[in-house]
Amino acid sequence: MATPIHRNGSLSAVSLQGFVLVGFGGGAETKALLFAVFLALYVVTVLGNITTIVVITLDALLLSPMSFFLKNLSFVDLCYSSVIAPKAMAIFLSSSKVISFAGCATQFFFFSLLVTTEGFLLAVMAYDRFMAICSPLRYPVTMCPMTCARLVLGTYCGGCLNSIVQTSLTFQLPFCSSNRIDHFYCDVPPLLQLACANTTLNELVMFGICGLIIVSTTLVVLISYGYITATILQMRSGSGRHKVFSTCGSHMTAVSLFYGTVFVMYAQPGAVASMEQGKVVSVFYTLVIPMLNPLIYSLRNKDVKDALRRLGQRHSLMKEGGQ
């Protein structure tokens, strides 16, 4: 659909019906390479997270709070990478890079909801590890199924609230300077660059809310793992200390990658202006981190590895029985 142009070259805010996702620069070879990289990352992400969900769902012995949280983390990772990756791959290969106004708002809403939910969920998982290691006797009572369900529901509610605020503030702006989004998906920083109105309030809200979420969840994570570290150091068993340190160290790596990239993108002054840097950073928390999480959390979890082994043995027995 054609978009009327004013004499000064700007787009009509009223008639703007869609955006163009610029994506990454480069020729056909660069775009083909990016498509291959995104496809590989997305396929591994989908397979890893679906495997985690299926294993936890089918194995009756995986009823711990951590298994419940891992299942939800895999679901969130699967969804928010799926919100971004297919459209990004489509614009790498297609000459038409258009996304409708409604499609852009929908993509942004679900991405914002899911990425915020993941931030809260990682904090909940850190708290769960704190209770399991530092208060093992109280753990079954404190982290009962009802409490776990409420904590997970709270993460989704927090994500939904942030998404509603960010989406409503962003898409009520008049976009009339251009319809070309300098990114591979719809996000706040590149959209604010297209607005022909004062975006100070939007930037303050983005920095304020994202900063508050990141600071609060990071404090929960740091305090939880601080107590965990102190408890581990008091253990008499050297092998036990090494095992718990190894697991917690990998968890902290995943959390640091997630919060660090989100902070660079949203919670620092000047983040809106650095789009080239933002595109590279965005690849990490939209595709790389959802791909790594099943490896870091599930394959380093003894219960999940045992469940995979049991499912493999069950499949082998069924196969032998069918012959």
Side-chain angles (χ1 to χ4, degrees):
M1 183 175 181
T3 304
I5 306 293
H6 288 307
R7 292 180 181 179
N8 61 5
S10 65
L11 292 166
S12 165
V14 176
S15 59
L16 179 61
Q17 298 297 318
F19 297 101
V20 175
L21 292 169
V22 174
F24 292 89
E29 292 183 358
T30 302
K31 291 176 181 177
L33 177 61
L34 285 170
F35 176 84
V37 170
F38 271 56
L39 179 61
L41 291 173
Y42 183 58
V43 168
V44 175
T45 298
V46 170
L47 291 177
N49 285 291
I50 286 181
T51 299
T52 301
I53 293 170
V54 170
V55 168
I56 294 175
T57 301
L58 294 181
D59 197 291
L61 298 179
L62 286 178
L63 298 175
S64 68
M66 179 50 79
S67 298
F68 178 66
F69 295 139
L70 277 175
K71 184 176 177 180
N72 279 276
L73 180 67
S74 292
F75 174 74
V76 171
D77 281 336
L78 178 64
C79 289
Y80 93 71
S81 59
S82 298
V83 168
I84 303 299
K87 185 63 180 180
M89 289 188 288
I91 68 172
F92 291 147
L93 296 184
S94 174
S95 57
S96 174
K97 305 176 185 298
V98 175
I99 183 171
S100 67
F101 186 89
C104 186
T106 302
Q107 184 188 55
F108 174 73
F109 175 84
F110 282 106
F111 169 71
S112 179
L113 185 157
L114 293 164
V115 78
T116 306
T117 299
E118 171 137 342
F120 286 126
L121 192 54
L122 290 173
V124 168
M125 292 171 71
Y127 174 73
D128 174 76
R129 290 300 82 200
F130 158 72
M131 291 301 303
I133 295 171
C134 300
S135 300
L137 297 179
R138 293 172 52 196
Y139 180 68
V141 177
T142 304
M143 301 300 292
C144 66
M146 182 61 71
T147 298
C148 294
R150 287 173 178 171
L151 285 170
V152 169
L153 179 60
T155 66
Y156 283 102
C157 290
C160 189
L161 180 60
N162 178 50
S163 183
I164 290 172
V165 171
Q166 299 283 4
T167 305
S168 59
L169 279 177
T170 301
F171 286 89
Q172 57 84 32
L173 290 169
F175 299 104
C176 53
S177 60
S178 171
N179 69 336
R180 296 174 63 82
I181 298 176
D182 189 15
H183 215 306
F184 59 91
Y185 66 94
C186 293
D187 201 5
V188 173
L191 282 166
L192 294 186
Q193 291 185 343
L194 306 184
C196 54
N198 190 333
T199 60
T200 302
L201 175 62
N202 297 73
E203 293 183 31
L204 287 175
V205 170
M206 182 180 72
F207 296 147
I209 293 180
C210 293
L212 179 63
I213 291 172
I214 292 172
V215 169
S216 61
T217 52
T218 301
L219 280 175
V220 172
V221 171
L222 291 177
I223 293 171
S224 296
Y225 280 107
Y227 277 105
I228 289 171
T229 302
T231 303
I232 293 171
L233 292 174
Q234 295 174 7
M235 290 181 176
R236 295 181 179 179
S237 170
S239 60
R241 282 199 303 268
H242 178 268
K243 179 182 176 182
V244 180
F245 260 131
S246 176
T247 302
C248 291
S250 61
H251 290 185
M252 280 299 294
T253 300
V255 170
S256 299
L257 278 172
F258 179 81
Y259 287 133
T261 51
V262 171
F263 178 83
V264 168
M265 192 65 189
Y266 302 108
Q268 61 161 338
V272 174
S274 53
M275 282 299 100
E276 290 305 314
Q277 176 195 26
K279 292 177 191 177
V280 177
V281 172
S282 297
V283 174
F284 277 89
Y285 67 81
T286 56
L287 286 171
V288 176
I289 293 174
M291 178 193 70
L292 292 176
N293 278 343
L295 303 176
I296 292 173
Y297 285 99
S298 299
L299 295 184
R300 294 186 68 88
N301 185 299
K302 183 179 181 300
D303 292 338
V304 175
K305 287 191 289 186
D306 290 343
L308 274 170
R309 196 176 299 113
R310 286 193 295 270
L311 284 176
Q313 292 172 351
R314 190 187 308 171
H315 176 73
S316 298
L317 289 173
M318 290 175 63
K319 190 175 180 180
E320 291 174 2
Q323 291 177 350

